[in-house]
Amino acid sequence: MSPKLIPTLRDVLIVVDVQRDFCAGGSLAVPDADHVVAPINHLARSFTHVILTQDWHPSDHTSFARIHPGHKVYDTIMMPYGPQTLWPEHCIQSSAGADFHPQLHIPHAAAIIRKGTDRRIDSYSTFYENDRVTPTGLVGYLKERGLSRIFLAGLALDFCIRYSAEDASVHGMEVVVVHDCCRPIDVNGSSAEAEAEFRRLGARMLSCNDID
Ligand code: VGL
Ligand code: ZN
């Protein structure tokens, strides 16, 4: 057995979108999502630096199928910034569905990044909106604090985690995906695509048991 990885002060755990709407009974429930909550609570105790993210949409957000007559949920449409999957309404700003999962318990998390707040554009990555140029400010936060290796856990593996991994790599940060603390939505082949992308990026795939 290889020795466990012990996170250092340059490491940060980003806990992605562990919100009610992505969990059982939510409007965009990710299969088996509730099972990541306890392992993530435990994992977070190994990190000095933890950031939480929240998907945080206005009620007429462009990613909602309802506002595109003639289209249904999970259709893909072309937007000025590229292809966009259409979703059920989810994570509406200040709604109960946008709250963190009630069992998520990470008191030392120092920042919350909210994304998808602009009605006109979706945002999967915690770093940039889907135009890939409008920043959330997270790169600056990490750089200023000297955090250069990011560990990703949460929802959904094939959207927010995948695109966050891409953007972090572009900025020269090392990326570790804590795979058993993530779950995919898996729509239109997105899971297989995400796994191929993690390989292409050279992202390190670990289980929470690999981390002390
Ligand atoms: C996400 C679908 C819609 C995500 C957000 O954060 O993975 N997926 N909105
Ligand atoms: Zn969303």
Side-chain angles (χ1 to χ4, degrees):
M1 220 180 74
S2 53
K4 292 199 182 203
L5 184 156
I6 300 171
T8 70
L9 289 176
R10 75 175 180 99
D11 292 325
V12 59
L13 175 65
I14 303 185
V15 176
V16 176
D17 297 1
V18 182
Q19 293 167 269
R20 285 178 185 265
D21 269 344
F22 292 124
C23 295
S27 63
L28 180 40
V30 178
D32 202 38
D34 295 65
H35 285 113
V36 304
V37 178
I40 287 176
N41 287 341
H42 184 80
L43 177 69
R45 291 201 244 135
S46 303
F47 288 81
T48 302
H49 298 291
V50 183
I51 293 173
L52 311 178
T53 77
Q54 266 179 316
D55 209 32
W56 198 254
H57 300 310
S59 58
D60 57 350
H61 192 247
T62 192
S63 76
F64 297 164
R66 178 182 57 81
I67 71 155
H68 300 276
H71 288 283
K72 50 187 195 317
V73 167
Y74 303 132
D75 280 358
T76 303
I77 62 165
M78 266 328 268
M79 297 291 282
Y81 54 83
Q84 171 68 51
T85 305
L86 297 180
W87 304 109
E89 286 158 74
H90 63 280
C91 298
I92 292 173
Q93 295 167 356
S94 287
S95 69
D99 280 349
F100 291 116
H101 188 288
Q103 263 92 51
L104 189 71
H105 184 68
I106 310 179
H108 63 296
I112 298 173
I113 296 280
R114 288 174 168 168
K115 63 189 180 63
T117 55
D118 182 338
R119 181 184 65 76
R120 297 162 302 175
I121 184 165
D122 207 2
S123 183
Y124 297 142
S125 164
T126 54
F127 293 94
Y128 292 93
E129 313 234 19
N130 285 7
D131 60 6
R132 313 307 292 273
V133 295
T134 308
T136 62
L138 183 55
V139 172
Y141 180 97
L142 298 180
K143 289 217 158 127
E144 211 169 7
R145 292 186 157 224
L147 302 170
S148 57
R149 185 164 63 172
I150 73 162
F151 290 66
L152 293 166
L155 309 167
L157 181 65
D158 43 352
F159 287 91
C160 191
I161 304 237
R162 174 211 165 151
Y163 289 101
S164 297
E166 284 183 21
D167 288 342
S169 297
V170 166
H171 284 279
M173 294 173 221
E174 261 179 82
V175 177
V176 180
V177 177
V178 190
H179 204 266
D180 56 350
C181 288
C182 304
R183 292 291 184 279
I185 299 176
D186 198 15
V187 56
N188 303 325
S190 56
S191 264
E193 255 182 55
E195 298 295 342
E197 185 61 16
F198 293 135
R199 279 193 296 276
R200 196 185 68 75
L201 296 172
R204 194 162 165 194
M205 309 303 271
L206 291 183
S207 128
C208 54
N209 288 327
D210 297 328
I211 299 166
D212 212 352

